[in-house]
Amino acid sequence: MELTASQLAALVHGDVEGNGEVKIGTFAKIEEGHPGALSFLANPKYTHFIYSTESSAVLVRRDFVAEQPVKATLIRVDDPYSTIAQLLEMVQEMTKIDKRGIEQPSFVSEGVDIPEDAYVGAFAYVGKGAKIGRGAKIYPQVYIGDGCEVGEDAILYAGVKVYAGCVIGNRCIVHSGAVIGADGFGFAPSGDGHYEKIPQTGNVVLEDDVEIGANTTVDRAMMGSTRICKGVKLDNLIQVAHNCHIGDNTVMAAQVGLAGSSKIGKQCMVGGQVGIVGHIAIADGTQIGAQSGVNRATKPGERIMGAPAVEMGEYARSLVYVKRLGKLFEQVKNLEKEIKKQ
Amino acid sequence: MELTASQLAALVHGDVEGNGEVKIGTFAKIEEGHPGALSFLANPKYTHFIYSTESSAVLVRRDFVAEQPVKATLIRVDDPYSTIAQLLEMVQEMTKIDKRGIEQPSFVSEGVDIPEDAYVGAFAYVGKGAKIGRGAKIYPQVYIGDGCEVGEDAILYAGVKVYAGCVIGNRCIVHSGAVIGADGFGFAPSGDGHYEKIPQTGNVVLEDDVEIGANTTVDRAMMGSTRICKGVKLDNLIQVAHNCHIGDNTVMAAQVGLAGSSKIGKQCMVGGQVGIVGHIAIADGTQIGAQSGVNRATKPGERIMGAPAVEMGEYARSLVYVKRLGKLFEQVKNLEKEIKKQ
Amino acid sequence: MELTASQLAALVHGDVEGNGEVKIGTFAKIEEGHPGALSFLANPKYTHFIYSTESSAVLVRRDFVAEQPVKATLIRVDDPYSTIAQLLEMVQEMTKIDKRGIEQPSFVSEGVDIPEDAYVGAFAYVGKGAKIGRGAKIYPQVYIGDGCEVGEDAILYAGVKVYAGCVIGNRCIVHSGAVIGADGFGFAPSGDGHYEKIPQTGNVVLEDDVEIGANTTVDRAMMGSTRICKGVKLDNLIQVAHNCHIGDNTVMAAQVGLAGSSKIGKQCMVGGQVGIVGHIAIADGTQIGAQSGVNRATKPGERIMGAPAVEMGEYARSLVYVKRLGKLFEQVKNLEKEIKKQ
């Protein structure tokens, strides 16, 4: 399907600048633009590409000021990033193939009811007493243990594993390879050097609208629940240990690790590869820089970084200090010489 | 099933303080207590919860001294953590459903004998010449390559993958998504910039009583075996490279990475997200703090931390020094002024 | 099969020193040698083992000079590591069982053509419109989404998941648990605190001769392609975010994380657990030390380390400085005393 730049602009309440008649049939990143494509400019780092892009049209902010001639047609909107998201959404809606029905062979335990509009892919396994919500999509090779609940319109991509007794909320999306509800890492040292396993009898609860990335692991609680609250988004390869609690709408980048019983507040942002020790409370709105090691509680809205993590300003200062150390050593050497002379 | 606090106390050789007649039917964390639940207090950080918990009874140490009135019944024991573990164990024993038999469809290669008390879940694959021990539980979608051995009472949870020729010891537990025996990362640079693959012809051996966490990867040896010795416990998302050796009863937290041919001693404790370079020997009883980067051999019982990791005391001192750097820069500036004046 | 040391030497164009008649039937690491085995000595760290190894023969460099008597027969070659690789290759070729044909039950969508010399294991799933190349090996429990392309002689080990629309090049090897093409981590904050998902409508392209380690995740692009170029080798548990680009023949050790839209050059070497921020360009030939945090572009051939990563020499100096800080504090204290005295 092709639209003209003017038609597109009308669709997204934007203003056209340049040729409104160019035809748009696809999307492309601004630096990989080609004729017929629509790009967007949101990150200022990419501004220079607008002067060279081959894309036919580019979504820009209303206040964008070109400092050189631009070949592409501009479509001015309030927020180019959310506008492109809307357009992608429209396209996805138009092109998506709605998976439905039960493919064979699959394994659905006796007595489990699969709603008519749900999908169960081939080689998927649904354990005894499981409850599957309306419109849920269970892709091939998914494992749903005994007694699990899968909410309405939840999507479990190929190969997701959910251990017995766990709960997946409505509209949750769980990506391939994620493991929900494996045993927490709990062992008690016996006298003679080896470890006894502590039974992990709790479960995992994903509340509504949670998204879990590929190969992320969320361990079941020792007692009670490991709980991921409404709207939380976890990237790939994250470790959430037993009895953790992650508050509403918190987002975490890939490869973060949370130790046992850590409590993360609402609306937090956690950078990639961060580690958080167990049994501490991260307050609402905390922002944690990538690769940080967090070993203390935080205050609401605090921004921290480093290992051990400190307030962002302190972190920045300590980097500067370390960078200047060579000079400091020299200064002290000179002082010592001066003193000797006197 | 409900027991009174007194009955429970008798079961675990504890002493009751308060109302022995309260009924206990479940477990709860002390901070999430509710009537009818038993909690425990092991970590001193949680002591303040004992004065507000809604749990009906709490397991505490014999020497616990309450500093305020406690509503819950106390059951005094030697070690509340191991006592709760015992109780959870009892409950688990009573409630567990013993998986047995061969679900269909599954794929068991011709000539492979599945013992009567073993379990092979639907969509599990057992390769040619594999040997499956008595009581082994092979969950759905597990892959066991040609020639593997799975020990007695071993548990391979849904979706575990074991490449050809690997050995899983008796009573091992391998969690979902773990990959045992993928090729080690071995390549030789060719002259023209690309890399030639070095065949990885060895295998992986998990000795008895090993537990491997979800999505952990243990690579096969180039030659010989990557060996994980008796009683080792590995958490989730850990990388064990080819030809590593991990000694008896060593425990590692999530997201640790071991480079090729590293040799870890017995009874070591390795914190989360630690990296250990290849071809070094970590001595028995070494303790390594979270996020450390270890690039040297250690002495028995050494406690190290940081990147590069140093002895714990030295690490702590260097943190203090860095924290005081701002002041040091000022001191030196003042000294320079003083000198100039003179 | 057994060969004499002399026969082996002839095979690899080596020169025998010592008893050429000893029989060799297997391989062993030099430190685990035993009679009948061939070992090799490539890493100088292992030199001392040559005087005690029980192996019958050892491959050494032509210029190796023994400083003590050696019991094993020596076979001198130009490059022992590549020679052993060749020999392992030969053995692997002779012993490998060529998987072919379609095991049942598997799920191949209507209209998809499986070439005669390809392999589709039991419980594998091939989506609509997928194209499978000649000689491709699709192991059990692999998922290939709708419209994917799998190249000639590509190997997808058990349980690999490839989302719809992704492309796997010729001779690629993808290890178990790897997830190719899950949604990139893209969300736009809505006004009220929750996040809206940005559709990820692109795909992943693995060019020819790429190897992807176990449980590594490569996310699909938001628009366009996440691209892993020819000959790239990625170890286990690596995160490649949406819209990344990795140039020819770059190698990365385990647990590396690349944030979105990072562009890595050709022939780079990236150590384990490194993190690279999004939207930056790493130049060709860059070498990055383990656990580094890279937040800036690099120059061709640059060697960097640390977090934030700096040029290797600067990193080494800063380590030395930090080590000497205790002494510096003392020096300054003494200076202050001296000044006071004056």
Side-chain angles (χ1 to χ4, degrees), chain B residues 125 163 197 219 239 279 342, chain C residues 46 103 175 211 236 342:
Chain B
Y125 186 101
Y163 280 53
K197 185 172 174 68
D219 280 355
Q239 153 71 354
H279 300 281
Q342 291 179 346
Chain C
Y46 289 76
E103 287 176 355
H175 284 283
E211 183 158 345
N236 300 344
Q342 291 179 347

Side-chain angles (χ1 to χ4, degrees), chain B residues 105-107 122-125 128 140-143 146 160-161 163 177-179 182-188 192-201 214-219 221-225 237-245 255-258 261 273-280 291-294 306-308 310 314 318 320-322 324-325 328 331-332 335 338-339 342, chain C residues 27-32 38-40 43 45-46 81-82 84-92 97 99 103-105 119 121-123 139-141 157-161 173-178 211 213-215 231 233-238 248-255 267-269 273 290-291 315 319 322-323 325-333 335-340 342:
Chain B
S106 53
F107 187 102
F123 316 124
Y125 186 101
K128 284 174 198 151
Q141 301 140 344
V142 165
Y143 173 80
D146 296 346
V160 165
K161 308 301 178 202
Y163 280 53
V179 177
D183 285 350
F185 196 65
F187 300 93
D192 62 349
H194 78 271
Y195 289 86
E196 291 291 341
K197 185 172 174 68
I198 312 281
Q200 305 289 310
T201 62
N215 284 346
T216 281
T217 58
V218 184
D219 280 355
M222 175 183 165
M223 305 187 302
S225 298
L237 292 166
I238 288 173
Q239 153 71 354
V240 180
H242 51 177
N243 288 105
C244 285
H245 180 109
Q255 297 175 318
V256 167
L258 307 186
S261 298
Q273 298 183 331
V274 164
I276 299 182
V277 305
H279 300 281
I280 63 168
Q291 288 191 325
S292 295
V294 184
V310 292
E314 188 183 337
S318 73
V320 172
Y321 290 144
V322 169
R324 288 192 200 148
L325 272 182
L328 187 66
Q331 282 171 286
V332 170
L335 280 170
E338 286 288 324
I339 290 273
Q342 291 179 346
Chain C
F27 301 98
K29 286 159 63 184
I30 192 165
E31 71 273 28
E32 299 174 348
L38 175 71
S39 295
F40 72 102
N43 185 334
K45 270 194 192 174
Y46 289 76
Y81 192 64
S82 74
I84 198 91
Q86 276 172 45
L87 289 169
L88 289 169
E89 184 76 43
M90 287 181 203
V91 169
Q92 204 177 47
I97 297 137
K99 302 266 181 195
E103 287 176 355
Q104 291 304 344
Y119 168 57
F123 317 124
Y139 275 69
Q141 300 140 344
Y157 282 105
V160 165
K161 308 299 177 205
I173 298 175
V174 186
H175 284 283
S176 288
E211 183 158 345
N215 285 346
K233 312 296 181 191
L234 302 185
D235 200 350
N236 300 344
L237 292 166
I238 287 174
D248 293 359
N249 299 320
T250 280
V251 294
M252 296 192 187
Q255 296 175 318
Q267 303 283 144
C268 294
M269 301 182 74
Q273 298 183 330
Q291 289 191 324
Y315 172 75
L319 281 191
V322 169
K323 250 196 152 53
L325 272 183
K327 223 189 129 205
L328 187 66
F329 275 93
E330 230 160 87
Q331 282 170 287
V332 170
K333 212 166 157 187
L335 280 169
E336 286 176 329
K337 275 188 209 159
E338 285 290 324
I339 290 273
K340 252 190 200 154
Q342 291 179 347

Side-chain angles (χ1 to χ4, degrees), chain A residues 1-3 8 23-27 36-38:
Chain A
M1 199 179 76
E2 283 192 341
L3 295 175
L8 253 176
K23 302 267 195 190
I24 307 294
T26 183
F27 301 97
L38 174 70

Side-chain angles (χ1 to χ4, degrees), chain A residues 111-238:
Chain A
V112 174
D113 181 51
I114 306 293
E116 247 181 58
D117 51 357
Y119 167 57
V120 176
F123 317 125
Y125 186 101
V126 182
K128 284 174 197 149
K131 284 179 190 147
I132 308 298
R134 289 174 58 89
K137 310 294 180 209
I138 296 166
Y139 275 69
Q141 299 140 346
V142 166
Y143 174 81
I144 296 173
D146 296 346
C148 288
E149 294 178 32
V150 175
E152 296 186 4
D153 295 314
I155 303 174
L156 278 61
Y157 281 105
V160 165
K161 308 300 177 204
V162 186
Y163 280 53
C166 293
V167 177
I168 311 292
N170 297 321
R171 298 171 303 281
C172 283
I173 298 175
V174 186
H175 284 283
S176 287
V179 177
I180 309 299
D183 285 350
F185 196 64
F187 299 92
S190 75
D192 62 349
H194 79 272
Y195 289 86
E196 291 291 342
K197 185 172 175 68
I198 312 281
Q200 305 290 310
T201 62
N203 73 343
V204 173
V205 175
L206 307 186
E207 295 186 356
D208 295 345
D209 299 301
V210 167
E211 183 158 344
I212 302 285
N215 285 345
T216 281
T217 57
V218 183
D219 280 354
R220 71 198 303 107
M222 175 182 164
M223 306 188 302
S225 298
T226 302
R227 181 172 293 267
I228 314 243
C229 297
K230 272 189 302 180
V232 167
K233 312 296 182 189
L234 302 186
D235 200 351
N236 300 344
L237 291 166
I238 288 174

